[in-house]
C-alpha cells in the first residue's frame, strides 16, 4: 500500500491565500524596516553547533534541532561512550551542525565574521525561518518565521526609542490598534535581586517572577521557594506582585525601592529616558507600559527588554519582543560592541489579524479574466490578448485545455474569477471578444480596447 503522506508536528503547509496573507504582513514589516534605515541580510538555515549551543541557557539548548553528521556517524563513538548512553557526550560526536534557534545569535556571528566589511553603527533586518524542538500548541510552532531588526555599534538609548516607534508604525499599518509594548530593564531586575539579597539566584528569581500573569502570586512564591530563594527575600519582593499605576508612578516607586542599588538605579534612569522621549513623540496606536515582571532573554539581554502583547480581546502570547545585548558579540571574540534589536512574531501576528478580521479583502491578487479555450486557433487568438493584458498589468489566464464549456466555467466559479472571455468563430471574424460578468451573468461583445478598459 502507498504510504499516507504527513508532515512533522509543529510544521504547516500554506495555501495560496495563506501565503498571500503572510506576504502582506512581511511586506508591511519590510517597508517599515527600510523606512527606518535598516538593510537586509540573510544567514544559513543551519549553523555549526558550537555557534548556537550555550547561548540560550539550558532550556534553550534542549530546544535546538541537531543535524546528524552524514555518513557512518556512529563510527566515531567509542564503545565506552556508546555503552554509557550519555546523550550529551554522544551528540557532540555525531552532530556538528544544528538548525538556527533564532536570528539574533547568527547575526552576532555574522557581525564578528564580517566586522571589517561593516560600517558601525550597523542596522540590519532579517526575515527568515527558525526552528525549535518545542511542544506545538496554538501560536507556537516548531518551524516559524522571525522578522528581526537590530543595531550594533551604538550604546545610545535613542535606538530603543526608535524601536518602540518602529513597533508602533508596523502595527498601525497592519491596522492592529491597541497593542501593548511592555518595557523593562535587566539592570532593574538585577537591582531588585540585589536589594532582596538574592543576587546569586537572579535567573531563578526572574524566571519565576516572569510567570506572575500565568501562575499567580502563590505560584510564583512556590517556584521561588523550590529554587532556594529565602522567605525573607520573597517577603521583600511582595510589592512587585501588585505593581500598579502609570508608567511615571511605577518609575517613582522603583527609585524608592532600588535607592541602595547602583545598577538598579541605572536601569530605572534608562527606562525613564525612553519613556520621557516617547512622551515627546507620542505613539499612534500602541500603548507603552513598564512591566517589572518582564524577564525574557536574560542569558544575553543586558539593558532594555521589550515584549509586545496583542489587544486584550485576543487570547494570544507575545507577538514581538527584543532588548539590548551589550555582550552578545563578545561570545565570538568581538568586545565592546553594544547592540539592541527587536523581533516580530509573524505566525502569531497572522493568527491575531485573522481572529480580528483585519486582513484587507484585496490581500490576495485574483485573476481578473479567464479566456475560454475552444481549440487551437481560438486559443492562439486569446493568448495574444492575454499577453497584451498582462503588459497592462491585468492578471489574465487562458484555460489550458479545450475542455467542455461547463468544466471551464465551473473552474472560473471555484476560483472566483469575475470575468470569463469567450472567443469563437464569430469573434475571430470580427476581431472582438464576448465578456461574461460572472456575478451578474450579463454578456457583451467588445473589441480589445474596450476589453482592456473593462478589466482595468
Amino acid at each position: 500500500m502507498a504510504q499516507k503522506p504527513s508532515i512533522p508536528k509543529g510544521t504547516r503547509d500554506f495555501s495560496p491565500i495563506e501565503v498571500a496573507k503572510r506576504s502582506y504582513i512581511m511586506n508591511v514589516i519590510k517597508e517599515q524596516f527600510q523606512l527606518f534605515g535598516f538593510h537586509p541580510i540573510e544567514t544559513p538555515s543551519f549553523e555549526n553547533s558550537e555557534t548556537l549551543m550555550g547561548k540560550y541557557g539550558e532550556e534553550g539548548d534542549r530546544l535546538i534541532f541537531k543535524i546528524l553528521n552524514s555518513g557512518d556517524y556512529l563510527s566515531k563513538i567509542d564503545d565506552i561512550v556508546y555503552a554509557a548512553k550519555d546523550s550529551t557526550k554522544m551528540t557532540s560526536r555525531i552532530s556538528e551542525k544544528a538548525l538556527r534557534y533564532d536570528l539574533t545569535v547568527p547575526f552576532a556571528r555574522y557581525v564578528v565574521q564580517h566586522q571589517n566589511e561593516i560600517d558601525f553603527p550597523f542596522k540590519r533586518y532579517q526575515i527568515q525561518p527558525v526552528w525549535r524542538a518545542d511542544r506545538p500548541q496554538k501560536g507556537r510552532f516548531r518551524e516559524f518565521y522571525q522578522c528581526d531588526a537590530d543595531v550594533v555599534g551604538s550604546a545610545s538609548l535613542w535606538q530603543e526609542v526608535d524601536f518602540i516607534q518602529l513597533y508602533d508604525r508596523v502595527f498601525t499599518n497592519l491596522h492592529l490598534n491597541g497593542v501593548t509594548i511592555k518595557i523593562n530593564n535587566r539592570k532593574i531586575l538585577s537591582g531588585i535581586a540585589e536589594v532582596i539579597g538574592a543576587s546569586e539566584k537572579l535567573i531563578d528569581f526572574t524566571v519565576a517572577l516572569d510567570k506572575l500573569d500565568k501562575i499567580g502570586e502563590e505560584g510564583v512564591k512556590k517556584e521561588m521557594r523550590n529554587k532556594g530563594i529565602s522567605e525573607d527575600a520573597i517577603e521583600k519582593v511582595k510589592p512587585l506582585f501588585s505593581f500598579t499605576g502609570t508608567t511615571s508612578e511605577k518609575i517613582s516607586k522603583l527609585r524608592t525601592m532600588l535607592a541602595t542599588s547602583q545598577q538598579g538605579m541605572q536601569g530605572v534612569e534608562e527606562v525613564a529616558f525612553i519613556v520621557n522621549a516617547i512622551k515627546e513623540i507620542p505613539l499612534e496606536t500602541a500603548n507603552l507600559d513598564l512591566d517589572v515582571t518582564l524577564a525574557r532573554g536574560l542569558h544575553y539581554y543586558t539593558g532594555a527588554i521589550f515584549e509586545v502583547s496583542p489587544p486584550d480581546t485576543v487570547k494570544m502570547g507575545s507577538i514581538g519582543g527584543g532588548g539590548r545585548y551589550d555582550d552578545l558579540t563578545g561570545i565570538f571574540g568581538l568586545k565592546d560592541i553594544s547592540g539592541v534589536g527587536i523581533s516580530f512574531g509573524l505566525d502569531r501576528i497572522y493568527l491575531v489579524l485573522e481572529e480580528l478580521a483585519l486582513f484587507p479583502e484585496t490581500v490576495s491578487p485574483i485573476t481578473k479574466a479567464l479566456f475560454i479555450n475552444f481549440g487551437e486557433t481560438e486559443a492562439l487568438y486569446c493568448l495574444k490578448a492575454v499577453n497584451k493584458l498582462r503588459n497592462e498589468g491585468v492578471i489574465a489566464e487562458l484555460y489550458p485545455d479545450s475542455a467542455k464549456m461547463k468544466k471551464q466555467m465551473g473552474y472560473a466559479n471555484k476560483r472566483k474569477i469575475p470575468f470569463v472571455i469567450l472567443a469563437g468563430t464569430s469573434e475571430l471574424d470580427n476581431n472582438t471578444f464576448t465578456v461574461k460578468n460572472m456575478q451578474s451573468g450579463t454578456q457583451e461583445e467588445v473589441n480589445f480596447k474596450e476589453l482592456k478598459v473593462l478589466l482595468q
Side-chain angles (χ1 to χ4, degrees):
M1 292 180 63
Q3 180 181 351
K4 185 179 179 180
S6 64
I7 58 174
K9 289 182 179 179
T11 65
R12 295 149 295 160
D13 290 323
F14 297 109
S15 67
I17 184 62
E18 288 171 327
V19 170
K21 289 179 176 179
R22 288 165 64 84
S23 296
Y24 161 73
I25 297 171
M26 285 191 276
N27 289 338
V28 169
I29 294 173
K30 189 182 298 183
E31 181 182 12
Q32 293 302 316
F33 280 167
Q34 293 172 349
L35 192 62
F36 276 66
F38 294 89
H39 300 282
I41 68 164
E42 291 188 358
T43 59
S45 57
F46 58 94
E47 298 270 354
N48 292 325
S49 296
E50 61 190 23
T51 299
L52 304 179
M53 298 299 290
K55 311 304 189 301
Y56 307 101
E58 186 177 336
E59 183 177 352
D61 282 354
R62 287 199 301 268
L63 299 181
I64 293 175
F65 275 109
K66 284 79 174 178
I67 301 174
L68 286 175
N69 295 337
S70 57
D72 186 10
Y73 50 83
L74 284 179
S75 64
K76 296 183 179 180
I77 305 296
D78 59 54
D79 293 340
I80 297 175
V81 172
Y82 189 80
K85 296 183 179 180
D86 187 327
S87 59
T88 303
K89 290 183 179 179
M90 193 177 295
T91 299
S92 63
R93 301 189 189 187
I94 65 175
S95 173
E96 297 171 356
K97 297 175 181 63
L99 293 176
R100 61 173 172 239
Y101 175 90
D102 70 357
L103 299 179
T104 304
V105 170
F107 172 56
R109 189 267 309 153
Y110 176 95
V111 170
V112 175
Q113 197 167 342
H114 299 273
Q115 57 186 288
N116 295 326
E117 308 156 26
I118 291 174
D119 295 318
F120 293 101
F122 178 52
K123 301 177 71 172
R124 86 78 164 91
Y125 76 83
Q126 195 171 348
I127 302 177
Q128 287 187 278
V130 299
W131 295 265
R132 295 183 186 178
D134 213 341
R135 184 172 64 87
Q137 53 187 288
K138 182 182 178 182
R140 179 171 292 179
F141 307 99
R142 288 175 172 171
E143 178 185 58
F144 57 96
Y145 268 75
Q146 284 189 337
C147 309
D148 285 12
D150 290 78
V151 183
V152 291
S154 171
S156 171
L157 292 175
W158 291 114
Q159 303 290 358
E160 278 85 338
V161 175
D162 216 29
F163 276 125
I164 292 172
Q165 296 286 346
L166 175 55
Y167 265 139
D168 180 51
R169 286 286 195 97
V170 166
F171 290 115
T172 298
N173 278 273
L174 288 172
H175 306 291
L176 183 55
N177 300 336
V179 304
T180 298
I181 305 170
K182 298 177 183 179
I183 184 173
N184 198 10
N185 194 295
R186 164 65 182 261
K187 295 166 188 171
I188 289 176
L189 292 168
S190 297
I192 294 171
E194 180 184 341
V195 298
I196 68 171
S199 292
E200 75 285 353
K201 296 279 188 178
L202 173 64
I203 299 298
D204 291 335
F205 158 72
T206 50
V207 167
L209 187 63
D210 189 48
K211 297 177 182 177
L212 181 62
D213 60 338
K214 299 181 182 70
I215 61 177
E217 180 177 340
E218 292 307 314
V220 171
K221 288 179 178 178
K222 182 179 178 181
E223 184 162 329
M224 286 183 176
R225 292 188 190 102
N226 292 340
K227 293 295 184 178
I229 297 172
S230 69
E231 288 295 335
D232 182 55
I234 293 173
E235 183 62 27
K236 289 179 180 178
V237 83
K238 194 173 181 180
L240 298 183
F241 296 143
S242 55
F243 203 71
T244 57
T246 66
T247 302
S248 297
E249 288 170 346
K250 290 177 182 178
I251 289 173
S252 180
K253 291 178 183 179
L254 285 174
R255 284 191 173 120
T256 301
M257 183 177 184
L258 301 178
T260 59
S261 171
Q262 182 178 351
Q263 188 176 32
M265 287 301 292
Q266 185 180 350
V268 173
E269 296 310 319
E270 288 180 5
V271 169
F273 177 91
I274 296 166
V275 170
N276 290 333
I278 294 298
K279 286 180 181 177
E280 295 297 321
I281 316 171
L283 304 178
E284 292 185 59
T285 62
N287 305 302
L288 183 64
D289 180 49
L290 170 56
D291 183 353
V292 293
T293 69
L294 179 60
R296 60 183 290 141
L298 294 183
H299 292 284
Y300 48 84
Y301 290 146
T302 57
I305 306 169
F306 301 114
E307 186 168 278
V308 183
S309 299
D312 293 337
T313 54
V314 182
K315 298 300 180 185
M316 180 66 67
S318 64
I319 55 176
R324 181 166 286 277
Y325 45 86
D326 287 350
D327 300 329
L328 193 62
T329 56
I331 61 181
F332 298 118
L334 184 60
K335 302 292 185 181
D336 302 321
I337 298 292
S338 184
V340 60
I342 62 171
S343 180
F344 291 85
L346 171 66
D347 297 283
R348 289 187 176 183
I349 293 172
Y350 181 104
L351 293 173
V352 171
L353 295 185
E354 189 86 324
E355 184 172 336
L356 296 177
L358 293 177
F359 281 110
E361 291 184 7
T362 57
V363 69
S364 179
I366 62 169
T367 296
K368 200 71 176 287
L370 177 71
F371 285 73
I372 298 298
N373 188 333
F374 287 114
E376 189 173 325
T377 302
E378 293 85 349
L380 181 59
Y381 176 81
C382 289
L383 196 55
K384 289 178 180 178
V386 168
N387 190 52
K388 290 179 182 178
L389 288 171
R390 288 171 177 168
N391 289 339
E392 298 293 331
V394 177
I395 305 175
E397 300 178 39
L398 169 70
Y399 193 85
D401 302 307
S402 179
K404 291 182 179 180
M405 173 73 78
K406 183 179 180 181
K407 182 177 182 180
Q408 297 190 52
M409 297 294 283
Y411 178 77
N413 264 325
K414 288 178 181 177
R415 290 191 51 200
K416 295 182 172 59
I417 297 174
F419 296 98
V420 166
I421 317 299
L422 303 96
T425 304
S426 173
E427 285 84 4
L428 267 65
D429 290 341
N430 298 325
N431 199 25
T432 60
F433 304 88
T434 296
V435 182
K436 181 179 178 65
N437 185 314
M438 296 298 283
Q439 187 171 9
S440 66
T442 59
Q443 289 189 187
E444 61 178 312
E445 190 171 342
V446 298
N447 59 34
F448 179 78
K449 186 176 181 181
E450 293 169 329
L451 176 64
K452 185 177 69 174
V453 172
L454 183 64
L455 298 179
Q456 284 182 328

